[in-house]
mmCIF file of all heavy atoms in Angstrom:
data_model
loop_
_atom_site.group_PDB
_atom_site.id
_atom_site.type_symbol
_atom_site.label_atom_id
_atom_site.label_comp_id
_atom_site.label_asym_id
_atom_site.label_seq_id
_atom_site.Cartn_x
_atom_site.Cartn_y
_atom_site.Cartn_z
ATOM 1 N N PRO W 922 249.137 194.672 -109.819
ATOM 2 C CA PRO W 922 250.292 195.567 -109.692
ATOM 3 C C PRO W 922 251.285 195.380 -110.823
ATOM 4 O O PRO W 922 251.303 194.358 -111.498
ATOM 5 C CB PRO W 922 250.902 195.153 -108.353
ATOM 6 C CG PRO W 922 250.515 193.705 -108.206
ATOM 7 C CD PRO W 922 249.140 193.604 -108.807
ATOM 8 N N TRP W 923 252.107 196.389 -111.019
ATOM 9 C CA TRP W 923 253.256 196.274 -111.904
ATOM 10 C C TRP W 923 254.408 195.676 -111.113
ATOM 11 O O TRP W 923 254.295 195.435 -109.909
ATOM 12 C CB TRP W 923 253.646 197.646 -112.443
ATOM 13 C CG TRP W 923 252.660 198.236 -113.405
ATOM 14 C CD1 TRP W 923 251.407 197.774 -113.686
ATOM 15 C CD2 TRP W 923 252.843 199.413 -114.194
ATOM 16 N NE1 TRP W 923 250.798 198.578 -114.605
ATOM 17 C CE2 TRP W 923 251.651 199.595 -114.932
ATOM 18 C CE3 TRP W 923 253.883 200.318 -114.353
ATOM 19 C CZ2 TRP W 923 251.483 200.660 -115.819
ATOM 20 C CZ3 TRP W 923 253.735 201.389 -115.230
ATOM 21 C CH2 TRP W 923 252.544 201.549 -115.960
ATOM 22 N N PHE W 924 255.520 195.401 -111.807
ATOM 23 C CA PHE W 924 256.673 194.799 -111.141
ATOM 24 C C PHE W 924 257.922 195.607 -111.472
ATOM 25 O O PHE W 924 258.132 196.007 -112.629
ATOM 26 C CB PHE W 924 256.869 193.347 -111.597
ATOM 27 C CG PHE W 924 257.857 192.582 -110.761
ATOM 28 C CD1 PHE W 924 257.473 192.047 -109.545
ATOM 29 C CD2 PHE W 924 259.161 192.397 -111.183
ATOM 30 C CE1 PHE W 924 258.373 191.345 -108.759
ATOM 31 C CE2 PHE W 924 260.065 191.695 -110.419
ATOM 32 C CZ PHE W 924 259.676 191.162 -109.197
ATOM 33 N N LEU W 925 258.732 195.861 -110.455
ATOM 34 C CA LEU W 925 259.996 196.581 -110.622
ATOM 35 C C LEU W 925 261.142 195.644 -110.264
ATOM 36 O O LEU W 925 261.245 195.181 -109.125
ATOM 37 C CB LEU W 925 260.032 197.818 -109.731
ATOM 38 C CG LEU W 925 261.335 198.638 -109.751
ATOM 39 C CD1 LEU W 925 261.528 199.276 -111.137
ATOM 40 C CD2 LEU W 925 261.310 199.715 -108.675
ATOM 41 N N LEU W 926 261.981 195.329 -111.239
ATOM 42 C CA LEU W 926 263.149 194.478 -111.030
ATOM 43 C C LEU W 926 264.371 195.382 -110.895
ATOM 44 O O LEU W 926 264.631 196.228 -111.748
ATOM 45 C CB LEU W 926 263.322 193.533 -112.219
ATOM 46 C CG LEU W 926 264.417 192.476 -112.114
ATOM 47 C CD1 LEU W 926 264.083 191.453 -111.034
ATOM 48 C CD2 LEU W 926 264.603 191.778 -113.458
ATOM 49 N N TYR W 927 265.111 195.199 -109.794
ATOM 50 C CA TYR W 927 266.247 196.083 -109.537
ATOM 51 C C TYR W 927 267.377 195.294 -108.874
ATOM 52 O O TYR W 927 267.231 194.125 -108.545
ATOM 53 C CB TYR W 927 265.828 197.250 -108.632
ATOM 54 C CG TYR W 927 265.428 196.851 -107.220
ATOM 55 C CD1 TYR W 927 266.316 196.975 -106.158
ATOM 56 C CD2 TYR W 927 264.152 196.355 -106.938
ATOM 57 C CE1 TYR W 927 265.956 196.607 -104.866
ATOM 58 C CE2 TYR W 927 263.783 195.987 -105.657
ATOM 59 C CZ TYR W 927 264.683 196.123 -104.621
ATOM 60 O OH TYR W 927 264.326 195.751 -103.350
ATOM 61 N N GLY W 928 268.523 195.958 -108.685
ATOM 62 C CA GLY W 928 269.645 195.332 -107.983
ATOM 63 C C GLY W 928 270.485 194.403 -108.822
ATOM 64 O O GLY W 928 271.420 193.775 -108.317
ATOM 65 N N GLU W 929 270.187 194.283 -110.102
ATOM 66 C CA GLU W 929 270.926 193.369 -110.969
ATOM 67 C C GLU W 929 272.218 194.030 -111.440
ATOM 68 O O GLU W 929 272.240 195.204 -111.805
ATOM 69 C CB GLU W 929 270.067 192.981 -112.172
ATOM 70 C CG GLU W 929 270.566 191.762 -112.919
ATOM 71 C CD GLU W 929 269.549 191.279 -113.944
ATOM 72 O OE1 GLU W 929 268.687 192.078 -114.346
ATOM 73 O OE2 GLU W 929 269.624 190.113 -114.329
ATOM 74 N N ASN W 930 273.313 193.282 -111.385
ATOM 75 C CA ASN W 930 274.625 193.750 -111.865
ATOM 76 C C ASN W 930 275.133 194.983 -111.118
ATOM 77 O O ASN W 930 275.947 195.753 -111.634
ATOM 78 C CB ASN W 930 274.566 194.071 -113.365
ATOM 79 C CG ASN W 930 274.174 192.858 -114.185
ATOM 80 O OD1 ASN W 930 274.593 191.746 -113.895
ATOM 81 N ND2 ASN W 930 273.354 193.073 -115.194
ATOM 82 N N ASN W 931 274.634 195.173 -109.884
ATOM 83 C CA ASN W 931 275.140 196.260 -109.038
ATOM 84 C C ASN W 931 275.081 197.634 -109.711
ATOM 85 O O ASN W 931 276.016 198.416 -109.657
ATOM 86 C CB ASN W 931 276.580 195.974 -108.601
ATOM 87 C CG ASN W 931 276.686 194.734 -107.740
ATOM 88 O OD1 ASN W 931 275.674 194.263 -107.229
ATOM 89 N ND2 ASN W 931 277.876 194.227 -107.576
ATOM 90 N N ASN W 932 273.973 197.946 -110.359
ATOM 91 C CA ASN W 932 273.846 199.274 -110.945
ATOM 92 C C ASN W 932 272.433 199.798 -110.749
ATOM 93 O O ASN W 932 271.604 199.171 -110.101
ATOM 94 C CB ASN W 932 274.240 199.266 -112.430
ATOM 95 C CG ASN W 932 273.358 198.338 -113.253
ATOM 96 O OD1 ASN W 932 272.159 198.217 -113.007
ATOM 97 N ND2 ASN W 932 273.940 197.673 -114.238
ATOM 98 N N SER W 933 272.174 200.967 -111.295
ATOM 99 C CA SER W 933 270.888 201.630 -111.073
ATOM 100 C C SER W 933 269.893 201.382 -112.195
ATOM 101 O O SER W 933 268.840 202.017 -112.232
ATOM 102 C CB SER W 933 271.113 203.142 -110.908
ATOM 103 O OG SER W 933 271.776 203.673 -112.035
ATOM 104 N N GLN W 934 270.210 200.476 -113.113
ATOM 105 C CA GLN W 934 269.294 200.169 -114.209
ATOM 106 C C GLN W 934 268.216 199.214 -113.722
ATOM 107 O O GLN W 934 268.497 198.149 -113.192
ATOM 108 C CB GLN W 934 270.049 199.562 -115.381
ATOM 109 C CG GLN W 934 269.211 199.442 -116.641
ATOM 110 C CD GLN W 934 270.013 198.937 -117.821
ATOM 111 O OE1 GLN W 934 270.224 197.755 -117.999
ATOM 112 N NE2 GLN W 934 270.494 199.884 -118.629
ATOM 113 N N CYS W 935 266.968 199.604 -113.896
ATOM 114 C CA CYS W 935 265.822 198.821 -113.430
ATOM 115 C C CYS W 935 264.914 198.483 -114.605
ATOM 116 O O CYS W 935 264.907 199.169 -115.626
ATOM 117 C CB CYS W 935 265.020 199.611 -112.391
ATOM 118 S SG CYS W 935 265.980 200.185 -110.973
ATOM 119 N N THR W 936 264.157 197.414 -114.434
ATOM 120 C CA THR W 936 263.175 197.010 -115.440
ATOM 121 C C THR W 936 261.780 197.133 -114.843
ATOM 122 O O THR W 936 261.494 196.547 -113.793
ATOM 123 C CB THR W 936 263.400 195.567 -115.907
ATOM 124 O OG1 THR W 936 264.714 195.432 -116.446
ATOM 125 C CG2 THR W 936 262.383 195.183 -116.969
ATOM 126 N N VAL W 937 260.938 197.897 -115.483
ATOM 127 C CA VAL W 937 259.542 198.024 -115.082
ATOM 128 C C VAL W 937 258.695 197.176 -116.013
ATOM 129 O O VAL W 937 258.791 197.295 -117.233
ATOM 130 C CB VAL W 937 259.071 199.491 -115.143
ATOM 131 C CG1 VAL W 937 257.569 199.583 -114.895
ATOM 132 C CG2 VAL W 937 259.818 200.333 -114.126
ATOM 133 N N VAL W 938 257.897 196.289 -115.430
ATOM 134 C CA VAL W 938 257.006 195.430 -116.211
ATOM 135 C C VAL W 938 255.573 195.840 -115.896
ATOM 136 O O VAL W 938 255.147 195.791 -114.748
ATOM 137 C CB VAL W 938 257.209 193.942 -115.880
ATOM 138 C CG1 VAL W 938 256.403 193.076 -116.840
ATOM 139 C CG2 VAL W 938 258.680 193.573 -115.931
ATOM 140 N N THR W 939 254.829 196.259 -116.905
ATOM 141 C CA THR W 939 253.470 196.731 -116.699
ATOM 142 C C THR W 939 252.494 195.565 -116.600
ATOM 143 O O THR W 939 252.843 194.406 -116.847
ATOM 144 C CB THR W 939 253.031 197.658 -117.842
ATOM 145 O OG1 THR W 939 252.865 196.878 -119.034
ATOM 146 C CG2 THR W 939 254.067 198.746 -118.092
ATOM 147 N N GLU W 940 251.260 195.901 -116.267
ATOM 148 C CA GLU W 940 250.224 194.886 -116.127
ATOM 149 C C GLU W 940 250.016 194.105 -117.417
ATOM 150 O O GLU W 940 249.698 192.914 -117.394
ATOM 151 C CB GLU W 940 248.916 195.570 -115.702
ATOM 152 C CG GLU W 940 247.753 194.617 -115.468
ATOM 153 C CD GLU W 940 246.467 195.367 -115.195
ATOM 154 O OE1 GLU W 940 246.418 196.580 -115.501
ATOM 155 O OE2 GLU W 940 245.519 194.760 -114.695
ATOM 156 N N SER W 941 250.228 194.743 -118.552
ATOM 157 C CA SER W 941 250.037 194.081 -119.843
ATOM 158 C C SER W 941 251.263 193.293 -120.284
ATOM 159 O O SER W 941 251.218 192.603 -121.296
ATOM 160 C CB SER W 941 249.697 195.122 -120.908
ATOM 161 O OG SER W 941 250.781 196.019 -121.096
ATOM 162 N N GLY W 942 252.368 193.387 -119.527
ATOM 163 C CA GLY W 942 253.574 192.653 -119.872
ATOM 164 C C GLY W 942 254.618 193.472 -120.615
ATOM 165 O O GLY W 942 255.700 192.967 -120.908
ATOM 166 N N LYS W 943 254.321 194.733 -120.923
ATOM 167 C CA LYS W 943 255.324 195.576 -121.577
ATOM 168 C C LYS W 943 256.465 195.875 -120.597
ATOM 169 O O LYS W 943 256.229 196.066 -119.409
ATOM 170 C CB LYS W 943 254.693 196.882 -122.067
ATOM 171 C CG LYS W 943 253.712 196.703 -123.204
ATOM 172 C CD LYS W 943 253.189 198.040 -123.685
ATOM 173 C CE LYS W 943 252.218 197.876 -124.857
ATOM 174 N NZ LYS W 943 251.693 199.179 -125.310
ATOM 175 N N GLN W 944 257.675 195.923 -121.117
ATOM 176 C CA GLN W 944 258.841 196.168 -120.284
ATOM 177 C C GLN W 944 259.537 197.456 -120.697
ATOM 178 O O GLN W 944 259.670 197.763 -121.881
ATOM 179 C CB GLN W 944 259.821 194.995 -120.376
ATOM 180 C CG GLN W 944 259.243 193.675 -119.878
ATOM 181 C CD GLN W 944 260.291 192.592 -119.746
ATOM 182 O OE1 GLN W 944 261.481 192.861 -119.725
ATOM 183 N NE2 GLN W 944 259.844 191.342 -119.636
ATOM 184 N N TYR W 945 259.970 198.196 -119.690
ATOM 185 C CA TYR W 945 260.680 199.444 -119.906
ATOM 186 C C TYR W 945 261.933 199.462 -119.034
ATOM 187 O O TYR W 945 261.880 199.083 -117.863
ATOM 188 C CB TYR W 945 259.802 200.652 -119.549
ATOM 189 C CG TYR W 945 258.520 200.741 -120.346
ATOM 190 C CD1 TYR W 945 257.360 200.114 -119.900
ATOM 191 C CD2 TYR W 945 258.468 201.443 -121.544
ATOM 192 C CE1 TYR W 945 256.177 200.195 -120.620
ATOM 193 C CE2 TYR W 945 257.290 201.541 -122.275
ATOM 194 C CZ TYR W 945 256.155 200.908 -121.808
ATOM 195 O OH TYR W 945 254.983 200.995 -122.534
ATOM 196 N N ILE W 946 263.032 199.890 -119.581
ATOM 197 C CA ILE W 946 264.277 200.046 -118.832
ATOM 198 C C ILE W 946 264.363 201.481 -118.337
ATOM 199 O O ILE W 946 264.301 202.425 -119.126
ATOM 200 C CB ILE W 946 265.510 199.717 -119.691
ATOM 201 C CG1 ILE W 946 265.387 198.305 -120.273
ATOM 202 C CG2 ILE W 946 266.783 199.842 -118.869
ATOM 203 C CD1 ILE W 946 265.304 197.206 -119.226
ATOM 204 N N ILE W 947 264.490 201.652 -117.022
ATOM 205 C CA ILE W 947 264.545 202.972 -116.416
ATOM 206 C C ILE W 947 265.746 203.035 -115.468
ATOM 207 O O ILE W 947 265.996 202.090 -114.707
ATOM 208 C CB ILE W 947 263.254 203.292 -115.637
ATOM 209 C CG1 ILE W 947 262.032 203.256 -116.569
ATOM 210 C CG2 ILE W 947 263.347 204.656 -114.958
ATOM 211 C CD1 ILE W 947 260.725 203.512 -115.860
ATOM 212 N N THR W 948 266.477 204.118 -115.508
ATOM 213 C CA THR W 948 267.594 204.317 -114.598
ATOM 214 C C THR W 948 267.100 205.018 -113.334
ATOM 215 O O THR W 948 266.560 206.127 -113.406
ATOM 216 C CB THR W 948 268.703 205.155 -115.251
ATOM 217 O OG1 THR W 948 269.195 204.456 -116.394
ATOM 218 C CG2 THR W 948 269.853 205.380 -114.283
ATOM 219 N N ILE W 949 267.252 204.341 -112.190
ATOM 220 C CA ILE W 949 266.813 204.896 -110.909
ATOM 221 C C ILE W 949 267.966 204.755 -109.923
ATOM 222 O O ILE W 949 268.131 203.704 -109.285
ATOM 223 C CB ILE W 949 265.561 204.174 -110.368
ATOM 224 C CG1 ILE W 949 264.474 204.064 -111.454
ATOM 225 C CG2 ILE W 949 265.024 204.898 -109.145
ATOM 226 C CD1 ILE W 949 263.244 203.297 -111.016
ATOM 227 N N PRO W 950 268.800 205.773 -109.763
ATOM 228 C CA PRO W 950 269.974 205.672 -108.890
ATOM 229 C C PRO W 950 269.636 205.277 -107.457
ATOM 230 O O PRO W 950 270.422 204.583 -106.792
ATOM 231 C CB PRO W 950 270.570 207.086 -108.951
ATOM 232 C CG PRO W 950 270.106 207.642 -110.255
ATOM 233 C CD PRO W 950 268.739 207.067 -110.462
ATOM 234 N N GLU W 951 268.466 205.692 -106.959
ATOM 235 C CA GLU W 951 268.101 205.391 -105.578
ATOM 236 C C GLU W 951 267.898 203.899 -105.334
ATOM 237 O O GLU W 951 267.944 203.442 -104.180
ATOM 238 C CB GLU W 951 266.822 206.144 -105.192
ATOM 239 C CG GLU W 951 266.979 207.645 -105.079
ATOM 240 C CD GLU W 951 266.852 208.354 -106.421
ATOM 241 O OE1 GLU W 951 266.764 207.671 -107.463
ATOM 242 O OE2 GLU W 951 266.833 209.602 -106.422
ATOM 243 N N MET W 952 267.668 203.106 -106.390
ATOM 244 C CA MET W 952 267.445 201.675 -106.224
ATOM 245 C C MET W 952 268.743 200.880 -106.197
ATOM 246 O O MET W 952 268.741 199.708 -105.833
ATOM 247 C CB MET W 952 266.558 201.141 -107.347
ATOM 248 C CG MET W 952 265.177 201.778 -107.439
ATOM 249 S SD MET W 952 264.177 201.661 -105.933
ATOM 250 C CE MET W 952 264.001 199.886 -105.762
ATOM 251 N N ASP W 953 269.853 201.494 -106.574
ATOM 252 C CA ASP W 953 271.138 200.802 -106.569
ATOM 253 C C ASP W 953 271.581 200.563 -105.134
ATOM 254 O O ASP W 953 271.787 201.507 -104.365
ATOM 255 C CB ASP W 953 272.187 201.647 -107.301
ATOM 256 C CG ASP W 953 273.537 200.940 -107.390
ATOM 257 O OD1 ASP W 953 273.584 199.712 -107.201
ATOM 258 O OD2 ASP W 953 274.540 201.627 -107.644
ATOM 259 N N GLY W 954 271.708 199.302 -104.751
ATOM 260 C CA GLY W 954 272.109 198.963 -103.390
ATOM 261 C C GLY W 954 270.986 199.027 -102.378
ATOM 262 O O GLY W 954 271.232 198.874 -101.171
ATOM 263 N N ALA W 955 269.754 199.243 -102.829
ATOM 264 C CA ALA W 955 268.623 199.368 -101.907
ATOM 265 C C ALA W 955 267.928 198.027 -101.700
ATOM 266 O O ALA W 955 268.085 197.088 -102.487
ATOM 267 C CB ALA W 955 267.623 200.390 -102.438
ATOM 268 N N THR W 956 267.158 197.945 -100.623
ATOM 269 C CA THR W 956 266.278 196.817 -100.365
ATOM 270 C C THR W 956 264.898 197.365 -100.063
ATOM 271 O O THR W 956 264.749 198.230 -99.199
ATOM 272 C CB THR W 956 266.765 195.975 -99.169
ATOM 273 O OG1 THR W 956 268.011 195.364 -99.501
ATOM 274 C CG2 THR W 956 265.762 194.879 -98.838
ATOM 275 N N CYS W 957 263.892 196.889 -100.778
ATOM 276 C CA CYS W 957 262.524 197.355 -100.557
ATOM 277 C C CYS W 957 261.889 196.550 -99.437
ATOM 278 O O CYS W 957 261.863 195.314 -99.485
ATOM 279 C CB CYS W 957 261.700 197.232 -101.834
ATOM 280 S SG CYS W 957 260.074 197.988 -101.678
ATOM 281 N N LEU W 958 261.371 197.238 -98.429
ATOM 282 C CA LEU W 958 260.761 196.594 -97.264
ATOM 283 C C LEU W 958 259.242 196.592 -97.326
ATOM 284 O O LEU W 958 258.597 195.759 -96.700
ATOM 285 C CB LEU W 958 261.199 197.319 -95.986
ATOM 286 C CG LEU W 958 262.706 197.452 -95.773
ATOM 287 C CD1 LEU W 958 262.973 198.232 -94.499
ATOM 288 C CD2 LEU W 958 263.360 196.087 -95.719
ATOM 289 N N ALA W 959 258.663 197.546 -98.050
ATOM 290 C CA ALA W 959 257.201 197.639 -98.124
ATOM 291 C C ALA W 959 256.809 198.366 -99.387
ATOM 292 O O ALA W 959 257.576 199.164 -99.935
ATOM 293 C CB ALA W 959 256.637 198.356 -96.899
ATOM 294 N N SER W 960 255.591 198.084 -99.850
ATOM 295 C CA SER W 960 255.063 198.711 -101.058
ATOM 296 C C SER W 960 253.573 198.922 -100.864
ATOM 297 O O SER W 960 252.836 197.991 -100.546
ATOM 298 C CB SER W 960 255.320 197.811 -102.272
ATOM 299 O OG SER W 960 254.612 198.267 -103.398
ATOM 300 N N SER W 961 253.119 200.154 -101.050
ATOM 301 C CA SER W 961 251.700 200.437 -100.909
ATOM 302 C C SER W 961 251.350 201.727 -101.636
ATOM 303 O O SER W 961 252.038 202.742 -101.479
ATOM 304 C CB SER W 961 251.324 200.565 -99.424
ATOM 305 O OG SER W 961 249.947 200.856 -99.271
ATOM 306 N N GLN W 962 250.308 201.678 -102.462
ATOM 307 C CA GLN W 962 249.761 202.850 -103.132
ATOM 308 C C GLN W 962 250.820 203.634 -103.916
ATOM 309 O O GLN W 962 250.777 204.855 -104.012
ATOM 310 C CB GLN W 962 249.083 203.763 -102.110
ATOM 311 C CG GLN W 962 247.960 203.076 -101.357
ATOM 312 C CD GLN W 962 247.319 203.971 -100.321
ATOM 313 O OE1 GLN W 962 246.835 205.059 -100.659
ATOM 314 N NE2 GLN W 962 247.300 203.549 -99.080
ATOM 315 N N GLY W 963 251.785 202.918 -104.475
ATOM 316 C CA GLY W 963 252.800 203.556 -105.304
ATOM 317 C C GLY W 963 254.016 204.039 -104.551
ATOM 318 O O GLY W 963 254.990 204.477 -105.168
ATOM 319 N N TRP W 964 253.987 203.974 -103.216
ATOM 320 C CA TRP W 964 255.149 204.345 -102.404
ATOM 321 C C TRP W 964 255.926 203.096 -102.015
ATOM 322 O O TRP W 964 255.340 202.075 -101.638
ATOM 323 C CB TRP W 964 254.721 205.063 -101.128
ATOM 324 C CG TRP W 964 254.294 206.481 -101.313
ATOM 325 C CD1 TRP W 964 253.008 206.952 -101.341
ATOM 326 C CD2 TRP W 964 255.138 207.627 -101.494
ATOM 327 N NE1 TRP W 964 253.008 208.314 -101.533
ATOM 328 C CE2 TRP W 964 254.298 208.756 -101.626
ATOM 329 C CE3 TRP W 964 256.523 207.799 -101.566
ATOM 330 C CZ2 TRP W 964 254.796 210.048 -101.815
ATOM 331 C CZ3 TRP W 964 257.020 209.086 -101.753
ATOM 332 C CH2 TRP W 964 256.162 210.190 -101.872
ATOM 333 N N LEU W 965 257.256 203.164 -102.101
ATOM 334 C CA LEU W 965 258.129 202.098 -101.634
ATOM 335 C C LEU W 965 258.822 202.573 -100.361
ATOM 336 O O LEU W 965 259.200 203.744 -100.254
ATOM 337 C CB LEU W 965 259.184 201.753 -102.681
ATOM 338 C CG LEU W 965 258.691 201.438 -104.098
ATOM 339 C CD1 LEU W 965 259.885 201.071 -104.980
ATOM 340 C CD2 LEU W 965 257.654 200.348 -104.105
ATOM 341 N N LEU W 966 258.999 201.660 -99.408
ATOM 342 C CA LEU W 966 259.804 201.946 -98.227
ATOM 343 C C LEU W 966 261.134 201.238 -98.428
ATOM 344 O O LEU W 966 261.188 200.008 -98.484
ATOM 345 C CB LEU W 966 259.119 201.453 -96.961
ATOM 346 C CG LEU W 966 259.853 201.765 -95.652
ATOM 347 C CD1 LEU W 966 259.901 203.274 -95.412
ATOM 348 C CD2 LEU W 966 259.187 201.071 -94.470
ATOM 349 N N LEU W 967 262.208 202.015 -98.560
ATOM 350 C CA LEU W 967 263.514 201.469 -98.923
ATOM 351 C C LEU W 967 264.514 201.595 -97.782
ATOM 352 O O LEU W 967 264.448 202.523 -96.967
ATOM 353 C CB LEU W 967 264.078 202.197 -100.152
ATOM 354 C CG LEU W 967 263.276 202.133 -101.446
ATOM 355 C CD1 LEU W 967 264.025 202.887 -102.549
ATOM 356 C CD2 LEU W 967 263.001 200.702 -101.874
ATOM 357 N N TYR W 968 265.432 200.630 -97.754
ATOM 358 C CA TYR W 968 266.613 200.708 -96.888
ATOM 359 C C TYR W 968 267.827 200.729 -97.801
ATOM 360 O O TYR W 968 267.982 199.880 -98.679
ATOM 361 C CB TYR W 968 266.684 199.500 -95.961
ATOM 362 C CG TYR W 968 267.945 199.465 -95.134
ATOM 363 C CD1 TYR W 968 268.043 200.168 -93.937
ATOM 364 C CD2 TYR W 968 269.043 198.722 -95.552
ATOM 365 C CE1 TYR W 968 269.211 200.126 -93.176
ATOM 366 C CE2 TYR W 968 270.210 198.685 -94.805
ATOM 367 C CZ TYR W 968 270.290 199.391 -93.617
ATOM 368 O OH TYR W 968 271.435 199.354 -92.883
ATOM 369 N N ARG W 969 268.701 201.738 -97.601
ATOM 370 C CA ARG W 969 269.874 201.865 -98.463
ATOM 371 C C ARG W 969 270.981 202.595 -97.714
ATOM 372 O O ARG W 969 270.787 203.695 -97.213
ATOM 373 C CB ARG W 969 269.528 202.628 -99.744
ATOM 374 C CG ARG W 969 270.677 202.823 -100.729
ATOM 375 C CD ARG W 969 270.151 203.477 -102.000
ATOM 376 N NE ARG W 969 271.184 203.621 -103.017
ATOM 377 C CZ ARG W 969 271.793 204.776 -103.315
ATOM 378 N NH1 ARG W 969 271.459 205.880 -102.666
ATOM 379 N NH2 ARG W 969 272.717 204.826 -104.254
ATOM 380 N N GLU W 970 272.117 201.929 -97.618
ATOM 381 C CA GLU W 970 273.313 202.526 -97.022
ATOM 382 C C GLU W 970 273.026 203.110 -95.646
ATOM 383 O O GLU W 970 273.415 204.236 -95.317
ATOM 384 C CB GLU W 970 273.889 203.597 -97.954
ATOM 385 C CG GLU W 970 274.340 203.037 -99.305
ATOM 386 C CD GLU W 970 274.842 204.113 -100.242
ATOM 387 O OE1 GLU W 970 274.609 205.309 -99.956
ATOM 388 O OE2 GLU W 970 275.481 203.758 -101.251
#
Side-chain angles (χ1 to χ4, degrees):
W923 291 10
F924 192 80
L925 177 66
L926 186 67
Y927 66 99
E929 196 170 21
N930 300 321
N931 297 344
N932 61 36
S933 57
Q934 190 176 83
C935 305
T936 302
V937 173
V938 188
T939 70
E940 182 186 17
S941 64
K943 292 183 179 179
Q944 298 190 17
Y945 301 89
I946 304 299
I947 300 178
T948 298
I949 311 177
E951 291 84 353
M952 300 303 298
D953 183 18
T956 294
C957 187
L958 305 178
S960 169
S961 179
Q962 301 178 57
W964 284 102
L965 307 182
L966 183 65
L967 299 181
Y968 175 84
R969 180 175 183 256
E970 298 177 347

